[in-house]
Amino acid sequence: WWARAYAQEGDDAEPEPLVLSGDRSEYPLGLHMELLEDPGGELTIEDVTSPEYAVQFSPSQEEVPNFGFIDSAYWVRLRLHDENPDIDNWLLELGFNNMHFVDLYSPVPDGEGFTVKQTGAMRPTSSRDILHPKIVFELTMPDQSEQTYYLRFKNGAPMTLPLTLWQPVPFFVNATQQTALNVLFLGIIIGLLGYNLFLYISLRDVNYLYLTLLLGSIILYDLSDTGLMEIYIAPESYRFMQHLVTLSSAAIMIFLILFNDSFLSLKANFPAVHRLNLILVGFALLLGLATFIARYHNIAVIFAPTLVVVLVTTMVTVFIAWRRGFHTARFLVIAWIGLLAGILLFVLAR
């Protein structure tokens, strides 16, 4: 209502466009974005550019807008003015890999209307401008030109919008560094998996089996959620990506609980907690299997609080066991505290 009244007064309600100069190599776009929620997901580019909806866009108040798990589609309007004479091509990066559907509407040069590029984690890799785990669009803007772009986002996962505009060379330098870190992380986890698998084969201790399966689940989740599997391993995996994310998430919870239960001998020492763990394992298994019959969004909404319950229960159980004289539990406290804190922060951020 305020936006409409402001526009009707004849004042310019539109913010100034973001000026692209040669002083910076990257532009985080959070505070320059204008947002429009589409609860029904039915608005078209003709609708959102019409006078009725044009005044309903509101400036973002966050550097990274995050609306959590929401059924609505979101439209983003970006006004850009290029004053850099040396760069006509820019790269628009979405920093959240698991965005299912993204549409970019670019103005037609020397004409009216928009061209559209449709991509996202649930679409083929051939739909991407650049073969990269993150979604990246190429923008062409002649020097001294001003362009208005629209993006439409629809997601079953969290609606998180970390947008950054890059000059090409700095982007590829940063992308190389990020890929190196991802490979390093996966290499460490794969090394730990191989070591614990060797110990299980040698010692036949079920604790090492649970730990090996937990590490394998983490690897599968990371490859699926970050887009690495779709880009570098199995290009057709986008067809069942949501199933892989759900199943690997369920497996992480299951094997985390089973390892904790077995290592602390909860069945003998804390039978009540053991029964609670069996209930949580059964519930996680049902959530994992539900991926084949339920919407990804509905499962994800339940998964997040369930994982928080599992993490809190795990840490409380370990501390109680330690305080009651199970001294080996102190090693588990040291081992778990970083992993569980990291997973907890990751879930709460979503």
Side-chain angles (χ1 to χ4, degrees), residues 11-317:
D11 296 322
D12 184 7
E14 298 180 354
E16 291 293 325
L18 175 63
V19 177
L20 308 177
S21 65
D23 299 332
R24 299 174 60 185
S25 61
E26 61 177 296
Y27 295 84
L29 298 177
L31 297 178
H32 298 278
M33 295 159 45
E34 298 173 272
L35 305 171
L36 174 66
E37 183 179 1
D38 178 11
E42 299 177 350
L43 296 180
T44 65
I45 185 62
E46 290 77 16
D47 293 328
V48 299
T49 55
S50 67
E52 177 184 359
Y53 287 98
V55 295
Q56 295 186 33
F57 280 86
S58 58
S60 172
Q61 303 300 315
E62 304 290 340
E63 291 186 4
V64 179
N66 183 2
F67 303 100
F69 294 95
I70 188 171
D71 269 327
S72 301
Y74 262 87
W75 288 83
V76 169
R77 182 168 63 190
L78 289 174
R79 291 188 173 91
L80 305 176
H81 180 74
D82 188 5
E83 288 190 349
N84 192 327
D86 300 322
I87 299 178
D88 290 339
N89 297 314
W90 296 81
L91 299 178
L92 178 61
E93 175 195 39
L94 175 64
F96 181 51
N97 306 62
N98 194 19
M99 180 65 67
H100 290 178
F101 303 102
V102 187
D103 303 334
L104 171 68
Y105 293 87
S106 305
V108 175
D110 302 323
E112 295 183 358
F114 295 84
T115 60
V116 60
K117 295 179 181 178
Q118 296 181 318
T119 186
M122 296 291 290
R123 286 171 171 152
T125 55
S126 59
S127 66
R128 304 195 181 195
D129 286 348
I130 294 177
L131 198 61
H132 187 267
K134 292 186 173 67
I135 296 168
V136 183
F137 292 103
E138 293 179 324
L139 304 184
T140 300
M141 290 186 294
D143 181 30
Q144 299 297 322
S145 67
E146 184 176 314
Q147 307 281 3
T148 299
Y149 296 88
Y150 290 84
L151 294 107
R152 182 185 183 274
F153 300 91
K154 188 74 173 70
N155 207 14
M159 182 63 68
T160 306
L161 305 176
L163 290 172
T164 305
L165 195 66
W166 290 87
Q167 294 181 13
V169 173
F171 168 79
F172 286 109
V173 171
N174 179 75
T176 302
Q177 294 171 346
Q178 292 298 318
T179 301
L181 290 175
N182 286 333
V183 171
L184 177 62
F185 169 76
L186 287 171
I188 292 172
I189 301 300
I190 292 172
L192 289 172
L193 185 151
Y195 176 67
N196 283 279
L197 180 60
F198 170 77
L199 290 176
Y200 170 68
I201 294 173
S202 302
L203 304 176
R204 295 297 175 180
D205 186 336
V206 71
N207 290 320
Y208 292 112
L209 175 61
Y210 289 146
L211 194 54
T212 298
L213 294 172
L214 173 61
L215 292 167
S217 303
I218 292 174
I219 292 171
L220 180 59
Y221 177 85
D222 187 72
L223 288 173
S224 304
D225 186 65
T226 60
L228 293 172
M229 179 177 291
E230 182 180 350
I231 299 300
Y232 298 117
I233 300 176
E236 295 299 314
S237 63
Y238 76 92
R239 300 179 185 274
F240 45 89
M241 181 273 297
Q242 58 182 350
H243 300 315
L244 290 177
V245 171
T246 304
L247 290 172
S248 58
S249 299
I252 289 173
M253 285 195 285
I254 290 171
F255 296 122
L256 179 65
I257 294 170
L258 291 178
F259 175 83
N260 192 58
D261 193 276
S262 174
F263 186 82
L264 297 176
S265 302
L266 295 182
K267 184 176 181 180
N269 298 324
F270 307 98
V273 178
H274 172 70
R275 289 191 291 271
L276 174 61
N277 280 342
L278 292 181
I279 293 173
L280 291 173
V281 166
F283 188 67
L285 180 60
L286 289 175
L287 282 178
L289 295 177
T291 184
F292 299 105
I293 58 175
R295 290 179 60 213
Y296 179 92
H297 175 84
N298 294 338
I299 300 173
V301 169
I302 301 173
F303 247 120
T306 302
L307 185 53
V308 172
V309 171
V310 169
L311 297 176
V312 172
T313 301
T314 299
M315 286 305 297
V316 170
T317 302

Side-chain angles (χ1 to χ4, degrees), residues 329-346:
R330 67 183 182 273
F331 296 110
L332 198 54
V333 171
I334 298 171
W336 269 170
I337 194 165
L339 174 65
L340 300 189
I343 295 177
L344 183 60
L345 288 173
F346 175 81

